[in-house]
Every structure is written in C-alpha cells, then in structure tokens.
Amino acid sequence: MNNTIKQLSRSPKFMTGFCMFVAIILFTLIYPLVNPGNPLEMIGVGTFARPGTYVSLYDAVSAQRETFKLADADDKRLAASISDEDRVAMIELFGMAGMELDIEAGDTEALLEAWEANFDTLIQTKMTSAKRKYYTRINNKLLDLKAADTLVVYEQGEEDSKSKIVKTDYVRTGAVANVKTLPLGTDNFGRDVLKELVSAAKTSLMIGLIAGTVATLVGLTLGLLSGYLGGNVDEIIMFITTMFTVIPSFVLLILISYSLGQEQRGPSVVAIVIGLTSWTWTCRSVRSQVISLRNRDHVNLSKLSGHSLGRIIVTDILPYIASYVVMAFILQVSSGILAEAQLSLLGLGPKTTTTPTLGLMMNWAMLYSAHTNGSWWAYFPVILTIACISFSLNLMNTGMDQVFNPALRDG
Amino acid sequence: MSEMDTKVQGSAQPEVQEAAPSENKPKRDFTTGPLCLSGRGVTRVFGTGDKKKVAVDHVDFDFHEGEFVSIVGESGSGKTTLSKMLLGLLNVSEGEILFQGKPRDISTRAKKNEYWKGIQAIFQDPFASYNTFHKIDAVLLDCINMRGGKHLPYEKKVEMMTEACSFVNLKFAELTNKYPFELSGGQMQRLMIARIFLLKPKILLADEPTSMVDACSRATILDMLLSLRDEIGMTIIFITHDIGLAYYISDTVYIMEHGKFVEFGKADEVILNPKAPYTKRLISDVPKIHEPWDLDTVVEELA
Ligand SMILES: Nc1ncnc2c1ncn2[C@@H]1O[C@H](COP(=O)(O)OP(=O)(O)O)[C@@H](O)[C@H]1O
Ligand SMILES: [Mg+2]
C-alpha cells in the first residue's frame, strides 16, 4: 500500500493530474470565502456584460479629481468613439466614391484625416438616403467630439449647483465608491459568471463523485458476487447487466430523468441516476477479473484454511482488483460530470433555480445564443473547466495505469 | 528390489537418495494399512452439449494411512481435477468419495472446515499460492490459529514457526516481516511444506509440487515430503507427470489416461512390469536426465 503510493508519487502523469484536480477543488472551496453570496444573484439588468472592471459613473462625478494633460488622450478618445462597424463603413464609402485609400481600419489618425479632407466630395456619392443620413451622423459625431470641451452635470432640480467635467479630469478608481470587477462578465440573466462558474464546478464535481461512487459500489458488489459465486447468482446478475447494456445508458438516463420530472431532479438525484445507469462496465470487468482470481491457488489455499466467504473476498480478491477499481472510479467520476453536462444541455439536468451546474451554464448560454452574439465568456470558461477536470482525472488514470501495468510504462 | 536400489543409487540426483526410505529405516508396508481416502466411480464432467468434457471418468481408488501414492499422467489427463475433488474444492459429478471408510460429508461450511483439518494441499505454482498482500508471518500464524493455537502466547507461536521453518531448512528469523514474493520459488514451496508441518493433516495432496522449482530445490522438497510421511505418518498423494520420479519415491502408483486409471498397483510392480500400453509409453518417454537408471534398460534386464 505504502509502496503503491510511493510509486504513484513518482509518476509525473499521475502527479500532474492529481495536483490539477486538487487545485480545482481548492479553488472551488476558497473562492466563495473571498467572494461570498448567492451565485445566482442577478446583479446586472442587461445581459452579457463584457468581462472587465466596472466603475460607477454616478460616483465618479463626485469623486476627487486630478488634472492630467496626457498627449495621446484626445486620439485615444476619438479612436474609442468610432466603432469598428463605422470604420468599415467609412472605408467602404471611399471605395464607393472611387477613391483609392491605403489605410488600415485601425489607423484612426490617417482615417480621420482622409475623412475630414474628403467628406464634402464623399457625401455627394450616389447612395440611398438612409446611407447618406448614416454617414452624416458619423460626421456630426466626429465634429462634436472635436468641438466639445466641457460636460456639465447637475442634479435634477438643482440646476445652479453644476459640476463641470473637462477632458483633462481624472479620478482614481480607488476614489470611486463603487467599482465592480467581473473577471468573466455577466451571463444572460446578468449574473456574475465567475461566481456562478465556481459554484457550478463544485456542484458538478459533487455530482461526479456521487455518480462515480454509486456506479463503482454497485458495479463492484455485483461483479464480485457474480464472479465469485458463479452459478445462478451469476446468471441473474449477468441478465440484469446485459439488459442495462443493450439499452444505451445515455438513452436510459434521458428516459429516467424525463420521467422524474423537473421538480424531483435535485443535483444529488441526478447524480444517483447517472451512477445507476453506468455501473455495468465496472460490473463486467470486475466479474471477469474475479473469475480469473477465484481459481488462483491462493484462494484455494485460503478456502482450505477455513476462511469465510466474506474474508476471502475482502482479503484474497479485493486487494488484487483494488487498483483497478480505483481507476474505474476515477473514470466514472469524469464520465459522470460529462453525463450531467450532456443531460443539462438537453434540458434534463438538475432543477434550474437553486444551484448552477456546469451543464446548466452551458444550457443557459446556448438558450440565450451566447455563441452567436459573441459572448464567449458565458460558455468558453465552462467548456475549459469541464475539459480541465476531465483532463486531470484522465491524467491520473493514465498515470495509475502505467504504475500498475508496467508493460505500458514508457522508457 | 535390492537390485533396483543399486540402480537407483546411480541416479543423477544424489540428494534425493538420502531421503529414500529404504536407506535407513526398516521397510514398512504402507499399502495395507487402514483406509483413509477411497473413491467409487468418481466422475467429473465440465460443460454441457458440444462442450461436454469428462475430465475424470469413473475412477476407483483406495489410499491407506501413511501410504505414498503417486498419480501419474500426462498433462490434461485429469489429475488436477481429481485432486480438487479430493480436496472438496470441486463438486463430484457422479460417484462417491469416502473419508476414513465413511462417505465424506462436506455439505456445510462447518463440515468442510472439519474435513480440511484432515486434508491439505501443496499446489503446483508457488508464485500463485500466496496472497501477495500478506506477510510470511501471517501465513504461518494462520496455520497455528487453525490448529486451535489462537490463544497461545506469542513466544510459543514464534517457537512453533521457527520449528516449522527449520524443518524445511529455512530460518524464521530471516523470513519474518518479509513477503512471500521476496523468496525464490523453491523457498516458497518449502514454506508451503512448513505450513503443512504446522497443520499436520492426515492427508497431504501435492499437485506437481516440484514441476516449477529448480532441480536443487526439487530434491529437497521430495526429501521433506518423505520425512513428513515417515515422521508424522501422513498419507501423501503425489501428483506428477514424471513416472521416473513416481517410481522412485512412491509405494503405490495410479496411472491416469484421459480421466481413467488405466493401471495401478505397487510402484515397482507397475513400472517394472507395465501392462497398459499407455504406461509403457510413459516409461519410454522418461527424459534423458534419468539416463543412469534408465527404466527401459531396467525393464529389459528384468524381462
Ligand atoms: N474448469 C474447467 N472447465 C472446463 N474444463 C476443464 C476445467 N478444468 C479442467 N478442465 C479440463 O479437464 C481436463 C483435465 O484437466 P486437468 O485436471 O487440469 O489435467 P492435468 O492436471 O492432468 O493436467 C482438461 O482437458 C481440461 O481442459
Ligand atoms: Mg494439473
């Protein structure tokens, strides 16, 4: 036992996988301490706010100001106020007017210079009146930006106590009372994606662990009994196993989840259902290993020594398949997490209102077309998390396989 | 017989000779003692239909107390199947096994455990005979517990284990806290004999115990089996494919072919005067290592 652990700790694959997995678990445990609160709280009114740090505009106005004269401030302001779409449209107009323009859309200075010099001719180009209006609007906006110098802010009803804001006014983020950093933005309901993701990863890991434990326990028990006892017990168990095998387990999973109904499906119920539909593989392989072990002479000798059935199974059979069972368990955990994700994508996952899971987050992102409107932060981190968990578990598994089957060891 | 003895002394395995009972002990005829294990029409069938295989086919036998019996046959002839049935590890399809003259009853676990106090085994492959997760001490302590020594003081147990180990030329002090797989095949098989020494069963079933160990250990192991018989009076059922070996160490031989006993009787009678063609073939197949006491020439000489 100690020896096995020593060997495992020397396997780089196992250790990498193990450390990754532990890091993920630690993160899901520690992050809620740093950032407590309901992970499903809708903090944003709009949908899909981009990742970043948000500063309260209201507080910024009254915050302590400093004046900075930065050389490139105007250029940056201009560059930020023309959207990518506008730039493309502007360059298009040069094309329509028959003017060859060797300017990149990103080169704001050159673009604006050319635009200013040629606008009067450009606007004469033949185009629909809607387009003409659009280009005039762009031009007016640019002119305004150049001309405007001071913003005036006052509270409603108190027009005389004005607050003037000039272009060189700056406030320190720390001086603004309300600043919110959303490293992964918000989702379709305006919820903090990172907070949700951490909570979802925790739930999904728990689902995977429960599903893996159920599948391993059921598979191991049935496999041991079937393999060791043989005869009628074996036939009955193998009949049940075959029944479960002919119906693809995912179809079975869908049917059971569907018939349970949304209300009954808490995360642990879903986990148990996943476990109960995925034990057949463990059962079959444990059975075949036990069959080859039960005829080994050390088992015969143990019988001759008068040991009971339970003792023989626990001391003479289990230790020989333990490493194998642990490996099967790890794979079951990984496939349990994936099964939950698949189920939730189909809308058959756990109840949607109480806890997020990785699958539910994918489901929400898909339902609200995060993938088509470019809100990558709503689904990509989820995929990455699922991938990292699976990868770490599979790495552990491969590492163990190499330790236990020396034939697979490379070099 | 004396002529045979001189022949045997020219053997390539001189160590074995010292163990020969004829050397230093007055000859006793073990083939007429009280019955300890008998079989009537013992049969074992595997599978059904097309896959039906009669591994042991209506065999009859009578083993006596203190007898050294060899069951000889080629591989696949059903020797292991018969031995598993004798041990009660495999059900008998047909026929009856009698233990000490009475029909054997192993229908419950308690009765089985009682039976196993009287019959024990050494298997062919020493590497597969040990639970590799248990230390050697555990293996030996288990035997002491089985013989009702559970409540003995630990020093007494150590004394018993030391005695058992020295019986098989092993040093307990060197083995304690080791795992069986840290020993050589020959040492492991000797430890198996130490186990038998502690258990002191009436009958020992040795299924090709020497076929997977080195030649040197082989001789010592045979030596030890013989002294178990001579000192404790154990009945030894020795299973082998080597008829030369069987002739050399046993009182009685049973020749097995395709699950049947084709010939049996006192070792020298059967081997020096074989009747069944199968026995003759086995004798002619005796490997070159036995050249100095080549049985073919012996048979010819006697004929
Ligand atoms: N569990 C089993 N199932 C089916 N056939 C078996 C089984 N055990 C042994 N046999 C068959 O019985 C025959 C005798 O085998 P065995 O007793 O092992 O022979 P031996 O020990 O003399 O080499 C062989 O043909 C073998 O294939
Ligand atoms: Mg055999």
Side-chain angles (χ1 to χ4, degrees), chain A residues 48-49 51 184-188 193 196-197 358 361-366 369-371 373-383:
Chain A
F48 297 125
L184 294 177
T186 65
D187 72 354
N188 53 298
V193 173
E196 204 181 347
L197 181 67
L358 293 173
M361 288 185 74
M362 293 289 288
N363 184 238
W364 292 324
M366 197 182 70
S369 335
H371 52 293
N373 65 26
S375 312
W376 54 267
W377 57 91
Y379 60 89
F380 185 70
V382 184
I383 297 176

Side-chain angles (χ1 to χ4, degrees), chain B residues 2-254:
Chain B
S2 62
E3 192 184 335
M4 266 316 302
D5 280 345
T6 15
K7 283 281 175 193
V8 167
Q9 272 165 12
S11 153
Q13 298 179 322
E15 313 94 309
V16 185
Q17 316 240 327
E18 287 151 24
S22 47
E23 277 264 298
N24 31 30
K25 298 229 163 158
K27 266 212 189 92
R28 247 179 73 196
D29 190 1
F30 289 102
T31 59
T32 53
L35 280 178
C36 73
L37 200 62
S38 328
R40 297 290 171 262
V42 176
T43 303
R44 173 69 206 204
V45 183
F46 286 115
T48 48
D50 282 349
K51 286 191 199 145
K52 184 170 161 174
K53 163 93 194 165
V54 185
V56 176
D57 192 359
H58 296 92
V59 296
D60 301 320
F61 49 85
D62 285 300
F63 303 147
H64 305 87
E65 273 178 24
E67 189 174 21
F68 200 116
V69 189
S70 287
I71 299 176
V72 188
E74 286 174 322
S75 113
S77 55
K79 307 182 297 292
T80 299
T81 308
L82 177 62
S83 78
K84 293 258 161 76
M85 286 193 287
L86 292 179
L87 286 168
L89 294 173
L90 201 62
N91 288 334
V92 177
S93 306
E94 210 182 294
E96 191 179 30
I97 291 174
L98 299 112
F99 181 58
Q100 296 177 328
K102 291 183 285 290
R104 178 180 78 168
D105 181 6
I106 48 167
S107 49
T108 65
R109 228 178 71 81
K111 284 174 181 164
K112 265 192 179 150
N113 285 350
E114 200 50 44
Y115 180 61
W116 286 331
K117 284 191 180 138
I119 184 163
Q120 280 293 328
I122 300 176
F123 297 111
Q124 181 170 11
D125 183 358
F127 297 91
S129 298
Y130 289 94
N131 182 332
T132 45
F133 293 87
H134 291 176
K135 289 186 176 157
I136 289 168
D137 311 50
V139 175
L140 295 176
L141 280 175
D142 205 35
C143 301
I144 296 177
N145 293 345
M146 201 181 156
R147 291 273 298 180
K150 205 174 180 119
H151 306 292
L152 289 175
Y154 187 69
E155 297 76 51
K156 177 70 187 151
K157 288 181 181 174
V158 170
E159 195 182 301
M160 288 167 82
M161 292 193 279
T162 312
E163 188 196 5
C165 286
S166 67
F167 177 78
V168 293
N169 290 340
L170 292 172
K171 290 198 179 64
F172 177 70
E174 288 172 12
L175 299 181
T176 183
N177 257 326
K178 274 194 178 163
Y179 286 95
F181 54 79
E182 294 176 68
L183 305 184
S184 74
Q187 285 175 319
M188 279 184 186
Q189 207 64 309
R190 267 145 60 195
L191 196 65
M192 274 288 145
I193 297 177
R195 186 178 166 273
I196 300 299
F197 180 84
L198 282 172
L199 289 172
K200 298 197 170 50
K202 287 242 161 346
I203 307 169
L204 169 63
L205 216 149
D207 188 353
E208 310 208 33
T210 58
S211 65
M212 290 181 78
V213 300
D214 56 289
C216 187
S217 295
R218 189 170 302 168
T220 1
I221 286 169
L222 293 173
D223 185 6
M224 286 159 191
L225 290 181
L226 284 168
S227 50
L228 276 179
R229 191 274 292 272
D230 292 338
E231 285 169 26
I232 306 176
M234 224 174 264
T235 306
I236 309 239
I237 304 169
F238 184 76
I239 292 178
T240 179
H241 56 264
D242 185 343
I243 199 165
L245 199 58
Y247 165 69
Y248 176 54
I249 59 171
S250 41
D251 304 315
T252 316
V253 290
Y254 284 74

Side-chain angles (χ1 to χ4, degrees), chain A residues 27 68 71 125 127 245 298 350 379:
Chain A
F27 190 72
F68 293 115
T125 320
M127 63 180 125
T245 320
H298 85 266
Y379 60 89

Side-chain angles (χ1 to χ4, degrees), chain A residues 74-84 87 106 108 112 145:
Chain A
D74 285 332
D75 295 342
K76 277 191 181 165
R77 191 171 300 120
L78 264 180
S81 61
I82 320 172
S83 71
D84 288 347
R87 286 163 199 261
T108 317
L112 287 184
L145 267 172

